[in-house]
Amino acid sequence: MVRTLIAAALFIAFAIALTLAARSHDADASGIQGDANCDLHVTITDALGVLQQNAGIASNSNGCDYNGDVNCDSANNTDDVLLILAYVAGSYTSNPTVCLPIGSYYQNTDTPTPAPTNTDGTTLSPPPGPTLTPTPTPTSPTILTTTPIATPVDTHNPSDSPAVTPTPTATPTAHTPTPTPTPKPPTNTPHPNQTPRFSGEPNCQVFPANNPWNTDISNLQQYPVDPNSDNYVDFIGRDTYLHPDVGTVWQNVPIGIPYAIVGGNQPKVPITYYYGDSDPGPYPIPSNVPVEGQPVGSPNTANFGGDRHVIVIDDTNCKLYETFDSHPVNNGQSWTTGSAAIFDLNSNALRPDTWTSADAAGLPIFPGLIRYDEVMSGTIDHALRFTVHDTQHAFIHPATHEASDNYDTDAPPMGLRFRMKASFDCSHYSTEVITICNALKKYGMFVADNGSDWYISGAPDNRWDDDHLGDLKTITGDAFEVVDTGENIIVPPPDN
């Protein structure tokens, strides 16, 4: 069928091209790439629309006939028809060095254009194509990534939380490595007493070198495979794909958990919390601190949902402050939270057993995030954090808290440590994912919260390449094994 469509399109396009000239772009246009007829969908009708535009038979009054030029060569011609047909047939592969991927919504960054909306005023997002993988590009348009992320839930009290439905991940096609950026060193960091910053690495060491987060667990003799490893992996999903819960922006919300780095002169504000196993304030939270789930351009007082984590690092005193379900009061003069925890970055001390933190497992969040500057430096020197759909009513140090009524011993307890198998080949992935793989083989990742299976956490940054991070979505749970760290699994009484 696809061959027939392509042959027909070639014949028609060739006949038209013999006599008629192509039309060029409108540089200020915005819309859905490949949507030649401006209906906010990319279908076979758009291939016909490109032919009509080429012939001068039809012109769009909506100002987006430019979208038919999907290879950005300033012409609506046969090449564009073939690419659109390939997209519809599910065999399209974008080339980030040439143009925007078909199906991406774009807008000119010099003159912002609102995204298309439904009749009720809500934002209308284009439906994903059969094999669409959005690719951010350094050119003037800004692409809103179409990689879906899991809906955050309050996992501190699972009985009150909605069931988590993992976001389906399409079966990957044969991987063709895309051009990867040259690794960059971390950006220079200002003196810790300067203005708060929301990216980069802290000057403080994030826990001592012998802390579990910083421990090399790649030695199989010292850290053998757990006897129950296969059952744990099967419980989560051996054939289920990893998902990068980190990136740029999806539906106007940054992908991941943001953080702030402040100096010792940052004013501290009072906090309240409704989980008693929290550390009292005050906390050095800036009034403009980013809150997890906060839409771009919206104040952190906006009514948005999710876990609403706030992470702040005092880079003078080397203290980490983290809160869950965080809401500012009077423009941040104080905060109400669900739970709150303070960690001394110079200490290996754990929270008391059965205590939670801003994370369900009682773990700190910041040490487990994939962060842009360290990835681009080529080295992640710590373990990562990830989520699963259900956990055991148990925990293993360094975790100190459980968040489940499930006593199935094949369900992973909070704090269980997974390691990517040394034999797993990551060499054909992007530079970013190769760096992440190296960390997963050397330091592994901890079960930190209930959520979607195999979702690996990171910090949002508009410099990420979402397409490169998407290589993680071709890795299944079978690439991992559980590490026997020597710690005992603790099963607290049911009333805890």
Side-chain angles (χ1 to χ4, degrees):
M1 178 64 181
V2 174
R3 291 181 177 177
T4 302
L5 292 173
I6 292 176
L10 280 170
F11 176 80
I12 297 170
F14 179 73
I16 294 172
L18 289 176
T19 56
L20 297 167
R23 300 176 65 185
S24 60
H25 297 182
D26 171 7
D28 294 324
S30 63
I32 309 301
Q33 184 75 342
D35 175 25
N37 63 359
C38 304
D39 64 355
L40 299 179
H41 295 77
V42 180
T43 65
I44 193 172
T45 305
D46 297 297
L48 178 60
V50 173
L51 295 175
Q52 292 175 330
Q53 293 167 22
N54 180 283
I57 296 173
S59 178
N60 294 313
S61 60
N62 293 350
C64 69
D65 52 352
Y66 148 62
N67 300 17
D69 177 21
V70 294
N71 64 356
C72 296
D73 63 355
S74 299
N76 295 327
N77 52 27
T78 304
D79 292 340
D80 303 303
V81 174
L82 293 177
L83 289 171
I84 293 174
L85 290 174
Y87 175 85
V88 174
S91 59
Y92 166 72
T93 301
S94 63
N95 184 348
T97 65
V98 174
C99 199
L100 307 181
I102 297 175
S104 297
Y105 172 72
Y106 61 87
Q107 61 186 33
N108 184 274
T109 55
D110 296 327
T111 306
T113 303
T117 58
N118 295 302
T119 55
D120 62 357
T122 59
T123 300
L124 176 62
S125 300
T131 57
L132 172 62
T133 302
T135 306
T137 175
T139 56
S140 59
T142 299
I143 307 170
L144 302 184
T145 172
T146 54
T147 303
I149 60 174
T151 301
V153 298
D154 178 357
T155 53
H156 290 68
N157 190 349
S159 62
D160 294 338
S161 302
V164 176
T165 303
T167 303
T169 304
T171 301
T173 55
H175 179 81
T176 301
T178 55
T180 56
T182 301
K184 303 174 183 177
T187 55
N188 292 329
T189 56
H191 187 276
N193 277 335
Q194 292 182 0
T195 304
R197 52 191 174 88
F198 308 117
S199 64
E201 292 297 295
N203 293 315
C204 291
Q205 167 71 30
V206 182
F207 296 125
N210 62 345
N211 187 276
W213 286 98
N214 303 324
T215 300
D216 181 347
I217 46 91
S218 61
N219 187 309
L220 295 180
Q221 285 70 42
Q222 186 177 3
Y223 296 98
V225 176
D226 189 289
N228 202 40
S229 177
D230 284 344
N231 292 330
Y232 287 133
V233 173
D234 289 338
F235 182 92
I236 302 173
R238 185 171 298 277
D239 298 323
T240 304
Y241 293 96
L242 270 63
H243 190 97
D245 199 3
V246 54
T248 56
V249 175
W250 162 244
Q251 293 187 338
N252 206 41
V253 175
I255 306 171
I257 306 175
Y259 60 90
I261 300 176
V262 302
N265 62 347
Q266 174 64 44
K268 293 184 177 181
V269 296
I271 66 163
T272 59
Y273 40 81
Y274 52 80
Y275 284 111
D277 46 353
S278 295
D279 296 323
Y283 282 39
I285 303 178
S287 60
N288 62 340
V289 69
V291 180
E292 181 190 13
Q294 178 181 335
V296 174
S298 298
N300 53 24
T301 55
N303 184 24
F304 55 90
D307 281 355
R308 296 188 65 123
H309 286 115
V310 165
I311 299 176
V312 178
I313 301 159
D314 178 344
D315 213 11
T316 301
N317 299 300
C318 296
K319 294 290 182 66
L320 172 63
Y321 298 81
E322 298 184 343
T323 61
F324 157 77
D325 194 18
S326 315
H327 298 263
V329 179
N330 294 328
N331 295 319
Q333 295 183 37
S334 63
W335 288 74
T336 63
T337 70
S339 57
I342 304 173
F343 296 89
D344 184 347
L345 296 179
N346 293 319
S347 170
N348 286 333
L350 304 180
R351 297 179 68 69
D353 281 351
T354 74
W355 276 41
T356 188
S357 61
D359 216 354
L363 294 166
I365 296 173
F366 179 79
L369 298 180
I370 299 171
R371 305 187 293 272
Y372 180 85
D373 290 280
E374 61 178 359
V375 169
M376 299 311 292
S377 74
T379 302
I380 299 175
D381 56 4
H382 57 82
L384 304 178
R385 74 182 291 277
F386 77 109
T387 61
V388 299
H389 73 277
D390 194 11
T391 50
Q392 189 181 153
H393 181 86
F395 58 86
I396 181 172
H397 290 160
T400 59
H401 185 259
E402 52 74 30
S404 172
D405 294 326
N406 188 346
Y407 287 85
D408 184 348
T409 55
D410 290 338
M414 289 292 187
L416 193 65
R417 194 165 192 162
F418 285 69
R419 172 178 59 204
M420 179 175 277
K421 296 173 182 176
S423 60
F424 188 81
D425 182 15
C426 292
S427 62
H428 57 291
Y429 294 132
S430 66
T431 300
E432 294 93 323
V433 171
I434 289 174
T435 298
I436 295 169
C437 283
N438 290 339
L440 290 171
K441 291 180 179 183
K442 186 174 182 178
Y443 299 99
M445 59 183 182
F446 290 108
V447 176
D449 206 345
N450 296 319
S452 292
D453 288 324
W454 303 117
Y455 268 50
I456 301 181
S457 304
D461 196 301
N462 59 15
R463 296 171 294 175
W464 284 119
D465 186 318
D466 292 311
D467 187 52
H468 290 178
L469 291 174
D471 284 353
L472 287 170
K473 293 186 288 186
T474 67
I475 302 173
T476 65
D478 188 55
F480 292 88
E481 58 196 8
V482 175
V483 180
D484 183 353
T485 61
E487 293 282 354
N488 295 322
I489 295 177
I490 300 172
V491 181
D495 59 349
N496 282 337

